[in-house]
Amino acid sequence: MKVEETESSNVSGMVLGLLAIIWFIGVPLCLFQAIVSALTRDAELDRGVLNAWLAAAAVIFTVAPVLATGICVFTGRVVRAWIFGVVATACVLFVLAGLYKEARQAELRRPPPPLPSGYCAEYSGGDSDCPGG
């Protein structure tokens, strides 16, 4: 029984270490690639490449701490589970705030809806050219 607990503890510890390496190296690498793609390519044509690198950074930024929290919860590492849980919550909230900001800015940049057909604007101080008025 002791050997199995030690082996699972070692495996989960290695997985936690691997997740930490992916998190600390993967996120900055994806952000660096996004900056390079934004500076070296035509911004309008390759906007999808930039968005793909940013999406990859956001996924790594949120998924790695969430997985680490789950591993710590299932292996009984209570203190680490709380630490990773707080980090995962902060990362998820940070990404959601960025998505909300981007959606809000896209809403503000959207052109106004077209006027309905047959629309006639009446102006004060003159005769009305609109039908029915």
Side-chain angles (χ1 to χ4, degrees):
M1 185 74 174
K2 281 288 195 184
V3 174
E4 290 178 14
E5 289 177 7
T6 306
E7 286 181 14
S8 69
S9 177
N10 288 340
V11 170
S12 64
M14 286 189 289
V15 171
L16 288 173
L18 183 63
L19 285 172
I21 290 170
I22 290 171
W23 196 64
F24 281 114
I25 294 175
V27 174
L29 183 64
C30 289
L31 292 177
F32 176 75
Q33 289 292 342
I35 291 170
V36 168
S37 70
L39 294 176
T40 59
R41 300 176 185 213
D42 185 15
E44 290 299 320
L45 293 177
D46 289 329
R47 183 85 174 154
V49 174
L50 174 65
N51 288 338
W53 282 114
L54 292 176
V59 167
I60 294 170
F61 188 67
T62 56
V63 170
V66 169
L67 288 176
T69 303
I71 290 170
C72 289
V73 166
F74 287 121
T75 57
R77 295 177 168 120
V78 177
V79 175
R80 291 179 190 168
W82 276 101
I83 292 170
F84 282 124
V86 169
V87 170
T89 303
C91 292
V92 168
L93 290 176
F94 184 70
V95 169
L96 288 177
L99 290 173
Y100 174 77
K101 180 183 173 191
E102 183 65 30
R104 182 73 179 129
Q105 287 177 349
E107 181 71 26
L108 293 175
R109 288 189 302 258
R110 191 180 73 179
L115 297 173
S117 65
Y119 178 78
C120 183
E122 294 188 27
Y123 300 101
S124 64
D127 292 337
S128 175
D129 294 337
C130 295

